Amino acid sequence: MPAITEAGRSYDQAQRARLAMAAEEDALKMQKLRLDIEMMQEQKAKSQPDYEARLAGDIAEKTSQLQETLNLNQAQRAGISQRLGNVASASAPLDIDVSGPVMPQQTAMQAGQGLVAEENLLNAQRTRMAAELEAYRKRQEGLVGTVNLGEAYGTAPAGGSADVLRRRVQEQANAFREADDFVKAAQTPEEAQYRANAVSVNKAYFEAQTREELKNSRKLAGLEGMAKDDDAAKKMRERLPTFVQSISSIDNLIELGGLYRKAATSGNAIEAAKYKAQAAQARIPLIAALRVPLTGGGQMNPQELQMLNDAVANPAVFLDITQTERLRSLKRTVGSEFASSARAFGYGVKSLQSVIDANSAPEDINNFGIKKSAPQPAAKYNPKTGLLMK
């Protein structure tokens, strides 16, 4: 009787699942619309005090709700797996010496199809919710500047590979729980001890690797040592590409200044105008990049804007050699400020060139590839002696 009841309950599940899948597609569209509206509201709210703290709290609440829904989804999928097992058992042929009711194959097939369709729907929901949960977590980590790795490992600076490390810790925690169940399922004390030893070795290896990666998450290419805390690592990771780009732009302006003077003094007005235009374009992003290191960030006042304009050489007066000296002085200022900030954050700076080299494109970025060896000439033999000719 339970098997027949199960078949009756699952008979129309396939149709309901198809309707639910369509509803899921509509939910995805509504989710996108909701996120777009949230982004618009976020832009409007950014000017309000305590914006980041309130936003982080809202995201934390949404993250908690999503996690609860995912846990419910997991329980529902486990229930369906059990019901599929019941259908398979109820429709299995009985032994010759056993009598009793058996679910007809047609009924079992209908029940199984309905359950599978429902399982597919739950899997699709799980995929969507997991992606949404990950997006919310990344936003929250970007706001607070740290990635929570649980009580065992503490936190890591946001950005870089820290979010990958978080997912690895979560996945491994699930694996550890399965490993504990694996040990408990042993049939004898000897087997249990053998399994426990194997699990213990794997746990120790993973924990050592995780702690090493956690330490590496505070390191940055080209700098020695590691940041004093997660916040320092996050801030320095944000500063690093701006510093490299600033130095590259200054070097580019120095080179363009030299090319401009050479073309202008030789009477090549077309070439001079070209270099002058290129310099004017390169100057704009450089001024923007220097805003944080030279003025501290935030809204610039007219005096700070004038200071930046004065600091970066003006292409209109590139013919003056002193403009190159001003750019070199600016380069030293930017380098000194970066080194001071790095040391304040806990890093060692032995060479600024090593920082540039470690965070710039390789010199052969435009011409690297697999080298082909030149074809070797065919061997020649002396027709009289038959020996190889040199």
Side-chain angles (χ1 to χ4, degrees):
M1 288 298 294
I4 303 300
T5 303
E6 179 66 43
R9 185 170 57 176
S10 302
Y11 183 77
D12 63 340
Q13 282 180 337
Q15 178 63 23
R16 293 206 313 268
R18 282 193 291 271
L19 295 174
M21 287 291 285
E24 179 68 13
E25 291 181 3
D26 291 338
L28 286 172
K29 295 177 182 177
M30 290 300 298
Q31 175 193 346
K32 182 180 183 304
L33 178 61
R34 186 175 68 253
L35 290 175
D36 290 341
I37 293 174
E38 287 179 2
M39 291 295 291
M40 292 173 62
Q41 293 174 338
E42 181 179 331
Q43 292 295 328
K44 183 178 179 181
K46 277 186 176 179
S47 58
Q48 300 177 6
D50 301 328
Y51 159 74
E52 290 191 352
R54 288 186 291 105
L55 181 59
D58 291 342
I59 292 176
E61 183 177 353
K62 291 175 182 176
T63 300
S64 177
Q65 293 172 351
L66 270 172
Q67 187 61 63
E68 291 179 4
T69 309
L70 273 171
N71 293 340
L72 176 61
N73 177 279
Q74 182 177 0
Q76 290 173 326
R77 287 186 291 114
I80 288 178
S81 296
Q82 184 176 4
R83 287 161 64 187
L84 281 169
N86 292 340
V87 170
S89 299
S91 59
L94 299 176
D95 293 336
I96 298 176
D97 56 344
V98 177
S99 61
V102 177
M103 178 186 289
Q105 289 298 314
Q106 182 66 26
T107 305
M109 186 178 298
Q110 290 175 346
Q113 286 176 345
L115 289 169
V116 168
E118 190 174 347
E119 185 179 44
N120 290 338
L121 172 63
L122 288 171
N123 286 334
Q125 291 175 338
R126 177 185 176 278
T127 301
R128 173 181 62 81
M129 289 188 295
E132 190 175 357
L133 179 63
E134 183 65 20
Y136 275 129
R137 277 177 173 162
K138 284 190 175 182
R139 287 185 68 190
Q140 185 181 32
E141 290 163 0
L143 287 169
V144 302
T146 57
V147 175
N148 187 0
L149 299 177
E151 294 181 2
Y153 302 105
T155 62
S161 60
D163 55 338
V164 177
L165 185 59
R166 168 175 52 75
R167 288 195 295 273
R168 181 185 176 203
V169 169
Q170 291 171 341
E171 291 168 359
Q172 196 63 30
N174 295 333
F176 282 175
R177 283 193 290 270
E178 293 176 1
D180 291 339
D181 294 337
F182 172 70
V183 173
K184 293 175 183 176
Q187 300 298 316
T188 64
E190 293 77 12
E191 184 184 8
Q193 185 61 48
Y194 175 80
R195 292 186 177 189
N197 291 340
V199 169
S200 177
V201 170
N202 285 324
K203 282 186 177 181
Y205 173 77
F206 170 78
E207 289 173 354
Q209 287 290 101
T210 302
R211 296 193 184 282
E212 183 64 24
E213 289 184 21
L214 181 59
K215 185 170 67 174
N216 290 338
S217 70
R218 292 186 180 178
K219 295 181 178 180
L220 289 176
L223 294 172
E224 298 183 343
M226 62 181 184
K228 60 185 180 182
D229 55 37
D230 296 337
D231 186 57
K234 175 179 179 290
K235 289 178 179 177
M236 205 61 204
R237 184 178 287 114
E238 292 171 349
R239 292 284 305 277
L240 193 54
T242 302
F243 167 70
V244 174
Q245 183 58 47
S246 298
I247 298 301
S248 175
S249 297
I250 293 173
D251 286 343
N252 185 36
L253 279 176
I254 292 174
E255 181 183 7
L256 288 171
L259 293 171
Y260 171 79
R261 284 191 297 275
K262 183 178 179 181
T265 53
S266 64
N268 192 337
I270 295 177
E271 285 291 298
K274 180 183 75 172
Y275 295 132
K276 192 172 182 179
Q278 290 177 0
Q281 285 295 109
R283 186 171 180 267
I284 297 172
L286 175 58
I287 291 177
L290 294 177
R291 183 177 62 85
V292 173
L294 296 189
T295 69
Q299 186 69 30
M300 283 192 298
N301 57 44
Q303 291 79 15
E304 290 173 333
L305 182 59
Q306 185 60 48
M307 183 192 73
L308 288 176
N309 272 300
D310 293 341
V312 181
N314 191 331
V317 289
F318 258 2
L319 197 58
D320 186 354
I321 190 65
T322 59
Q323 296 301 312
T324 297
E325 293 306 318
R326 285 176 59 189
L327 284 170
R328 291 194 176 115
S329 175
L330 174 64
K331 184 177 177 179
R332 287 191 294 270
T333 300
V334 173
S336 297
E337 190 280 333
F338 177 83
S340 298
S341 296
R343 289 174 179 135
F345 289 142
Y347 295 100
V349 186
K350 185 175 288 187
S351 166
L352 287 174
Q353 188 60 51
S354 65
V355 177
I356 298 295
D357 291 343
N359 294 278
S360 300
E363 294 180 357
D364 61 348
I365 188 65
N366 293 319
N367 55 18
F368 72 97
I370 299 175
K371 294 182 178 180
K372 296 181 179 180
S373 57
Q376 299 294 321
K380 295 183 179 181
Y381 295 88
N382 188 316
K384 295 182 178 179
T385 64
L387 299 177
L388 181 66
M389 298 175 61
K390 296 183 179 179

